[in-house]
Each structure stands twice: as C-alpha cells, then as structure tokens.
Amino acid sequence: MSETPTNPRYAPGTHPDLPPPRRTTGALGWVRSNLLSSPLNVALTLLSVWLLWTILPPSIHWLFTGAIWTAVDRKECWALMDAPRDGACWAFIRGSFELFVYGWYPEPERWRVNLTFILFIAAIVGGLRENIPGKKYWLIFAAAYPFIAAWLLLGGFGLEPVGTNKLGGILLTLVVAVTGISFSLPLGIALALGRRSNLPALRGVCVIFIEFIRGVPLITLLFVASTMLTYFLPPGSTFDLLMRVLIMVTLFASAYIAEVVRGGLQGLSSGQYEAADALGLSYWKAHRLVILPQALKISIPGIVNTFIGSFKDSTLVLIIGMMDILGLGRARLNDPEWLGLAPELYIFISLFFFISCFAMSRYSLNLEKKLQTGHKS
Amino acid sequence: MTQPAQSTSNPLLQLWRNQESRGVIIQIITMAVVFALLAAIARNVVINLEAVGKEFSFGFLLWPAAYDIGFSPFLEYTNQSTHLRAAVVGLLNTLLIAFWGCILATMVGFVLGIMRLSSNWLVSKLSYAFVEFMRNVPILIHILAIYAMVVTLLPPAKKALNVGADAFFLSNRGFYVPSPVFEDGATIVGVVLLISIVLVYFFKRWARRQQDDTGKIYPVLWVSLGILVALPGIAFVATGMPLSWDIPVLKGFNFKGGMAIKPEFLALWLALSLYTACFIAEIVRAGILAVSHGQTEAAFALGLRPNRTLQLIIIPQALRVIVPPLCSQYLNLTKNSSLAIAIGYMDITATLGGISLMQTGKEMETMLIVMGVYLVISLLISSFMNWFNHRIKLTER
C-alpha cells in the first residue's frame, strides 16, 4: 500500500498496478459476489439461511449431542435422554451391527467373510489403479475374485459348507451387487456387439432381449425368479433362491450395460472401423485391438452409473423376502427391545448407501476428466 | 491369414471362410440355439405344470378376487369383484401415481436444476447437497422412510392437523381435502370453459401470424388468461354458481366426506417424485449448460431482453438436449412405481402380481400380464416422447 501513488503525474505507461478494490477481494468480496449480488440473491440468501437455521440445530442435537450410544434396549435409551425420543438411539445400531454386517453367518467362520471383504477391496484397488506394478496379475485377480469369494463364502473344497440362507445384511447386499456387476459386464458387451451386428437374426434376438428387460421393472423379474423360474428348469431340479435372484439381477444389469456400451460403440467415428478393416484385421481382432478399448473408455462413466444403479437396486430383494441390509434392519425393528426406532435404522442404511454410491460417482467423474483426451471445447 | 492351400479341398471350411455364407451359418446357429432353448423351456413348463396339477389358462381372471383394495378412486370395487377388475383397479392406480409423479418430479426437478445453476453460492450448494443425497440412496429406502414418517409423525385422525380453513386436514389416515360437488348447470360452465380454450388457441395462432406478417407483438399471455378466467367466470355466475364443496368433517374416529389422499399414495408420490426430480435436475442443468454462451450474447446483441432471450433462445435449445433423457426418467418413475407393493399401495404389481398370484397360484399367467402391461406403458411413453422429440428437433439443412 505504501507504493500507492501520491503524485498523480506519471509518464504514460509507467503507472504501477493498483491493488483491486477492497470490496471485490477477500471474504467480503466473495460474500458480495456470491451471496448478495442482487436484490433477488439477497432474498434467496436470507431464505436459505433461515432454512438452515431451522433445520440444522435440531438435527445436530438429535443426531449427535442428544444421542445415546450405549444401552441395552430402547427403554434404557429413552431413560437416558432429557425426554423420550429427544435424540437418536444409536445403541440400536451398535447392538445390531454384527447382525447387520454378517447376517446369520456362523460365528467361528466369520474370518472368511472378513477375508472376502479384504480381498474385495484389494480387487477393486488393484483392478482400478492405473500405475500399479503387475497390473496384468491384478486384473486377472479381479476377474477371478467373484469365484474366489463364492468359494470362501459358501465353502466346499476343504472349507466348512455354509448355506446361502445364512447370508444376510450387508454381506448379502454386496453379494447381490457384486455378482450383478461382475457378470453383467461381459454379458452386456456381448449383447451390445450383437445389437450392432449386421446379421439380422442375431441383432433381432439381442434387441428383443434388451428391450424386454428394459421395459419391465426389476421387481417383476424378481417375482419371476422367486415364483416361476423353477417351472422353466428340467423337472426335479432344485435351484437355490439366491442363485435364481443372482441370475435375474445379472440379466437385468446386462441389458442396461448393453445400451451404455452401444452408446460407446456408436460414439466412435466410422474411421476407426474403416481403419481396422483396411489393416485387414478380422472382426474379433478389430474389436479386441481397436474398437472395444476405445468404446469402453468412452462408456466407463455410463458403466459406473449402471453399477451404482444395480447396487441400489439390490435392496429390492427385500420384497421377495430376502434379508439384505434393509430387510434385516426392518425385521430388527419388530424386535420388542428396539420397537419403533425406524428413523435411526433408515438413517444408518441411507448413510451406508450414500457413502458407497457417492464414492463411486465421484470416481466416475474423476475418470471422465482423466480420460478426456479428445478436444476440449 | 491367407493360406488356402490345404483348406480349399474342404467345402465346409470354404463356406466358413466366405463372409456371406458365414453370416448365414452364424444366424442359423443363433436361431437354432434360441428356439431349442425356448422349446426346452416350453417342454419343462408343460411337464412341471402337469406335475403340480396346474393348467395354463386365463380363466381365473373371472373368479371373484375375495380381497379388499383400500384405494380405488375410479372404479367401484368390492371383494366380490373379479380378479380382472382388481387388475384394472391396480392398473389405474399405477397410471395415477405415474401421472402425478411425473408432473411433480418435472416441477421439482426444474426448480432444483435451475437452483443448482444459481449465481447464489448458498442456493446452489443446498440444491447440490439435496440432489446428491437423494439420488445416491435407493428409492426403496426413500419410500419406506417417508411412509414411516407419514404414519408415525402425523397425528391420528382425532387430532388431525388443520392445515387450512377448517377444510384441509392432515392425519396419519391421509390428507383430507374438500371434494367438488357439481350441480345442474355445471355442464354449461364446462362447455364455456372448453369454448374459451378453443378461442385462446385460435387467438394465439392469429397473433403469431400477425407477428410473422407485420412484426407487431400482441400481449398473448394476458389476453389468453383474461379469456380463460372471464368467460367461464361469467357463465359460472350466470348459472347461479352450480358448484359446492363437500368438506371433510371429523366423525368418530375418522373423517367423513371430502376426498382423502391416502398415506400410501402420499408417501409413494413424494418419494418417487423427489427421487426422480434429482435425476431430472441434473438433466436440466446439463441441458441449460449445453446452450453455448454465444447464443445468449447473440440474443442480447439483437436487442432481446433477458426474458425473451430465455424464452426464445435458451429454452428451445436446452429442451432439445433435455427431452430424450427426461423421457427415460419418466419411464424409470413408472417402473419404480411397482415398488408400491412394499408399503401396500395397490398398483398392478401388488394386486395382480401380488395377492391374485398368491390366491390363485397362477404365477405364469399373472406375471405375463403384469410384464405385458409394463411393456405397453413403456412403449407408449417412449413413442409419445419420440413424437414430441421429433417435433422440437432442430430442422437442419
């Protein structure tokens, strides 16, 4: 500030740069330009502040400061509060946490579930990190993961067998979601290629399949799985309900993946196809080396969005009586000890899904930016 | 790749190497596999149905349904009615929730999307937080949580909240509102209303032609509103006000009279609309951002005021980007409405695909009808949207 000119006479072009007006910089400037730039904005800001003021303090009190974290049942919870229901009874969630995570998985075998979770994180990190040493082996591991997980969870081959009816809670949610996600990707790519094929019969079959699946709600497909899929199978064969549901979830997700991948295939310029043909590559070689790497790259955000969708859709199994995290939680609500603690339960489950899905969507956004190698407008 | 030496002798291999015949072979194999699969399924179905002593027929639709449906605003329904009638009631309930859901979702979605683009930091962030929270949590949780809130937080009918004018009551039995009762002469007012709508339509066309020919702009909005309010208003007064309201009154444990919006409907409607609105908000935001700033500048340079710029330049171009994904959101909402079964709102999945299925044991038939209904609804919505999309499409050279 000391350099501020006192002498107004400068030769043309020699006047030193002045600092910007103080009202336009710093916190004050930010507030003026972002909150109070026009009468309408002043009104909107006041309205928002009022809204936050009425919602936030009671919510924070209910969620944190007034909440009870340890108690044996809801009566004790409420006795510990200033007034019953004055705060959240998180003791309910803490008390049921093991059940929510493992379902009815036998206690001594739970290390297998933990190992599955750890390998899951390893497969995700190893499969997605760009510059990780031994990338090829990580990818093979990620592709083999569903089978390793199935072996670990269900047993056999040296491990104590565990029935699929013992799976529940977050474990079941993850089983449904991860199976749907990992098997729908190859199936979806195949369907997309079939739909783009120039063989009318092949194309017709794929189009009918995709449009049929996309035209009906997932819940009707789950009803089919739970009530009538056994009629489709050879007489006498019994088929586990979980397996039937997994098949339906996979088929459902694959139709959506197919449409996303088709978008990616259409997004490629025809020059790429022509160039591959000109090089004399066969159909499969052209797709493996030229078309699919580019098409999949464009469709990654869409694929991740489909994954988010199928993760959220995994809650629907509750309607046909399977105990995923939502079903198990609702069953727990009928427990006389914790009767009527629905808000706590729904907040906990919402948070679980929000964190997982939000992380996935952030990742996809990040990837979208990183993959943007084309022209920027 | 070209090693014809040893293969030319084998005619089958030759067929395979020829691109055209290979295509035919692949298609024949595909069709053979598909038909073999279908035939095997059909055979299994026949054998399995016979084994449990069931018959594939739609005759059950005419059996009495013997269950109650608590919410049937359009059709008379008792538990003596047939399964077919139950199915139609369910279908109408599905269409009702889908219709109102799409309307509310569009309105909230546009507001949220525009809020997200606001220059006001706080407004934009509030919208962002709401949208991200809603769309990253499964719709089923929203439905169950909102239903639980409606049922547990709202007071029982005896202590219903008087929302306004002693005529609107909110309780855990539902939202009670006055229902209109039309008396003689109400038809005349209806006819006058229709006539005024036709008048407005022709006035709009005339004004547009005048503007195209002479450049003169008429106040279309105000004149239209005037016609729409004044003409039916005059008719209404002239016929002696043939409309009264049936106001809900608390009698005993529940309300009598008026219309009740059931808590199931309310919860499902709010959950579906808010969830879908968050996806629509993102679509609207992307659509508006897709209109390049040059368009706005060009409009200003031509001397259009901000209002007209929005109306004539930005919205038409943004709509072109917005409509196709909007259409698929409407489809999603309609399909998600099948989750009504979780809270006992009687839509087609809950009536025909739920209770009728359990009572009659006709899994095949009921599921076929339910899926067929959803397929038809999906096709109708997407063909309507395609038509609309075609209408607003950019006419290129």
Side-chain angles (χ1 to χ4, degrees):
Chain A
M1 295 303 265
S2 57
E3 293 153 47
T4 319
T6 43
N7 185 354
R9 263 179 242 156
Y10 281 96
T14 61
H15 194 294
D17 290 344
L18 291 177
R22 217 180 314 160
R23 316 170 90 191
T24 62
T25 58
L28 194 69
W30 184 88
V31 167
R32 279 176 63 91
S33 64
N34 286 298
L35 297 178
L36 309 170
S37 59
S38 68
L40 177 69
N41 269 342
V42 173
L44 286 174
T45 304
L46 286 178
L47 196 69
S48 313
V49 168
W50 173 80
L51 198 70
L52 287 175
W53 186 251
T54 45
I55 292 176
L56 275 188
S59 307
I60 290 174
H61 175 72
W62 192 86
L63 286 169
F64 303 109
T65 51
I68 301 298
W69 299 82
T70 27
V72 288
D73 62 7
R74 69 191 167 118
K75 294 257 170 59
E76 194 194 334
C77 248
W78 292 346
L80 287 170
M81 291 171 197
D82 304 336
R85 322 227 62 168
D86 185 42
C89 181
W90 295 124
F92 165 46
I93 304 296
R94 276 187 63 177
S96 325
F97 194 71
E98 292 227 326
L99 181 72
F100 285 168
V101 173
Y102 298 105
W104 299 277
Y105 210 82
E107 198 105 37
E109 304 290 332
R110 287 203 177 150
W111 61 270
R112 281 154 58 178
V113 180
N114 293 335
L115 185 58
T116 313
F117 285 155
I118 293 168
L119 288 182
F120 176 60
I121 293 168
I124 291 217
V125 172
L128 296 181
R129 279 290 295 272
E130 282 291 306
N131 40 13
I132 195 165
K135 176 80 183 165
K136 200 171 135 196
Y137 300 102
W138 279 112
L139 280 179
I140 294 172
F141 170 63
Y145 173 76
F147 301 99
I148 300 173
W151 171 61
L152 272 176
L153 289 179
L154 298 179
F157 302 108
L159 285 175
E160 182 94 4
V162 175
T164 52
N165 56 341
K166 299 275 188 236
L167 304 182
I170 290 177
L171 176 59
L172 182 65
T173 300
L174 285 180
V175 165
V176 174
V178 171
T179 314
I181 287 167
S182 38
F183 290 103
S184 65
L185 189 59
L187 198 58
I189 294 173
L191 282 169
L193 289 180
R195 193 172 182 164
R196 294 268 296 165
S197 148
N198 45 18
L199 309 176
L202 197 61
R203 193 171 56 224
V205 170
C206 291
V207 168
I208 290 174
F209 179 82
I210 293 173
E211 292 306 326
F212 170 73
I213 297 270
R214 279 161 39 94
V216 299
L218 176 58
I219 188 70
T220 56
L221 292 175
L222 290 179
F223 275 146
V224 168
S226 75
T227 60
M228 58 188 263
L229 203 62
T230 40
Y231 289 126
F232 291 170
L233 300 169
S237 57
T238 50
F239 215 54
D240 191 67
L241 177 63
L242 179 64
M243 289 300 151
R244 285 182 266 154
V245 166
L246 290 182
I247 291 175
M248 279 303 174
V249 169
T250 307
L251 291 181
F252 186 77
S254 68
Y256 285 82
I257 295 270
E259 285 302 275
V260 171
V261 174
R262 182 170 74 111
L265 288 171
Q266 277 172 349
L268 280 193
S269 75
S270 56
Q272 297 292 329
Y273 290 91
E274 285 159 11
D277 283 347
L279 287 175
L281 295 179
S282 71
Y283 178 85
W284 291 111
K285 270 199 175 153
H287 276 84
R288 192 164 54 85
L289 299 172
V290 181
I291 309 297
L292 277 180
Q294 299 183 67
L296 287 182
K297 199 169 97 175
I298 319 175
S299 21
I300 282 178
I303 292 175
V304 177
N305 279 339
T306 314
F307 285 173
I308 295 176
S310 80
F311 187 58
K312 287 188 294 178
D313 281 343
S314 71
T315 50
L316 264 58
V317 297
L318 134 82
I319 291 175
I320 55 165
M322 296 185 78
M323 291 294 177
D324 72 327
I325 173 72
L326 191 55
L328 200 60
R330 271 165 64 79
R332 192 81 169 134
L333 278 183
N334 295 328
D335 198 326
E337 283 167 18
W338 304 112
L339 207 62
L341 293 181
E344 285 86 346
L345 176 79
Y346 290 133
I347 289 174
F348 167 69
I349 301 178
S350 305
L351 213 60
F352 165 70
F353 277 102
F354 176 74
I355 291 171
S356 328
C357 296
F358 190 66
M360 279 197 265
S361 72
R362 287 292 99 174
Y363 171 76
S364 115
L365 220 66
N366 209 353
L367 210 59
E368 212 170 331
K369 273 188 202 136
K370 208 158 68 183
L371 291 178
Q372 194 147 42
T373 48
H375 314 282
K376 280 179 190 149
S377 55
Chain B
M1 295 222 89
T2 45
Q3 288 169 314
Q6 63 271 65
S7 61
T8 36
S9 53
N10 189 337
L12 273 180
L13 214 54
Q14 241 174 348
L15 271 180
W16 184 249
R17 292 258 162 93
N18 181 325
Q19 202 169 11
E20 260 173 49
S21 59
R22 176 160 59 182
V24 174
I25 294 171
I26 292 176
Q27 295 190 66
I28 290 173
I29 295 174
T30 313
M31 292 321 275
V33 168
V34 168
F35 279 113
L37 207 65
L38 288 179
I41 287 177
R43 181 179 155 274
N44 289 341
V45 166
V46 169
I47 296 175
N48 285 323
L49 280 182
E50 209 162 282
V52 292
K54 282 182 187 169
E55 190 188 354
F56 186 86
S57 85
F58 289 98
F60 76 95
L61 284 174
L62 299 176
W63 302 349
Y67 60 88
D68 287 311
I69 296 180
F71 184 74
S72 171
F74 303 111
L75 273 184
E76 204 58 39
Y77 177 89
T78 66
N79 58 14
Q80 297 302 309
S81 310
T82 58
H83 284 292
L84 183 63
R85 206 173 176 85
V88 175
V89 169
L91 173 61
L92 289 175
N93 283 349
T94 294
L95 293 178
L96 184 76
I97 195 80
F99 176 75
W100 286 108
C102 287
I103 289 181
L104 185 63
T106 311
M107 285 175 3
V108 178
F110 270 75
V111 169
L112 283 174
I114 291 166
M115 272 170 71
R116 185 86 176 76
L117 288 173
S118 162
S119 59
N120 188 317
W121 184 84
L122 207 52
V123 168
S124 158
K125 288 297 166 208
L126 273 180
S127 165
Y128 173 72
F130 183 75
V131 167
E132 287 299 328
F133 176 75
M134 287 301 279
R135 62 189 209 134
N136 281 312
V137 172
I139 172 77
L140 189 55
I141 295 180
H142 290 311
I143 293 176
L144 292 173
I146 292 182
Y147 184 60
M149 276 206 294
V150 168
V151 173
T152 58
L153 291 187
L154 289 179
K158 280 198 93 151
K159 294 179 194 158
L161 289 176
N162 189 342
V163 186
D166 282 331
F168 296 85
F169 296 97
L170 200 54
S171 80
N172 61 8
R173 296 280 191 89
F175 186 36
Y176 287 85
V177 295
S179 59
V181 178
F182 299 107
E183 289 150 21
D184 309 338
T187 37
I188 300 177
V189 181
V191 170
V192 172
L193 184 67
L194 275 181
I195 292 175
S196 50
I197 290 174
V198 173
L199 272 179
V200 164
Y201 174 73
F202 281 109
F203 172 69
K204 253 179 120 168
R205 272 183 50 174
W206 176 82
R208 164 146 250 169
R209 202 170 308 140
Q210 287 294 309
Q211 190 185 347
D212 285 350
D213 291 348
T214 64
K216 195 164 176 224
I217 299 174
Y218 291 87
V220 176
L221 180 72
W222 294 112
V223 174
S224 310
L225 273 181
I227 294 175
L228 279 180
V229 171
L231 285 185
I234 292 168
F236 186 66
V237 173
T239 50
M241 308 204 182
L243 177 75
S244 62
W245 294 95
D246 184 12
I247 293 171
V249 183
L250 184 65
K251 284 219 175 99
F253 289 108
N254 210 342
F255 283 92
K256 287 266 152 54
M259 271 190 301
I261 301 172
K262 293 272 176 189
E264 291 85 25
F265 181 86
L266 211 59
L268 188 66
W269 183 45
L270 283 179
L272 282 175
S273 322
L274 292 181
Y275 181 75
T276 313
C278 290
F279 290 89
I280 293 180
E282 287 297 291
I283 293 169
V284 168
R285 185 173 80 103
I288 293 177
L289 284 179
V291 180
S292 85
H293 194 58
Q295 297 287 328
T296 319
E297 285 168 348
F300 285 162
L302 286 174
L304 289 178
R305 277 164 292 144
N307 246 343
R308 305 285 287 171
T309 309
L310 198 68
Q311 227 178 63
L312 299 174
I313 310 293
I314 298 180
I315 289 180
Q317 295 189 66
L319 269 189
R320 222 169 274 141
V321 184
I322 289 172
V323 165
L326 194 63
C327 154
S328 64
Q329 285 309 320
Y330 288 162
L331 278 175
N332 282 348
L333 189 146
T334 310
K335 284 187 283 173
N336 281 338
S337 76
S338 61
L339 295 177
I341 194 170
I343 56 167
Y345 175 79
M346 294 302 237
D347 74 334
I348 180 111
T349 315
T351 56
L352 192 64
I355 307 178
S356 288
L357 183 151
M358 290 301 162
Q359 284 194 354
T360 58
K362 298 276 186 191
E363 298 94 353
M364 293 277 176
E365 295 87 337
T366 49
M367 288 323 295
L368 272 180
I369 300 176
V370 171
M371 287 181 157
V373 163
Y374 279 109
L375 274 179
V376 170
I377 296 177
S378 299
L379 276 175
L380 286 180
I381 294 182
S382 62
S383 51
F384 170 76
M385 279 299 173
N386 279 343
W387 168 81
F388 184 72
N389 203 11
H390 187 76
R391 252 194 57 161
I392 62 168
K393 205 171 66 178
L394 187 66
T395 24
E396 283 181 26
R397 297 143 287 182

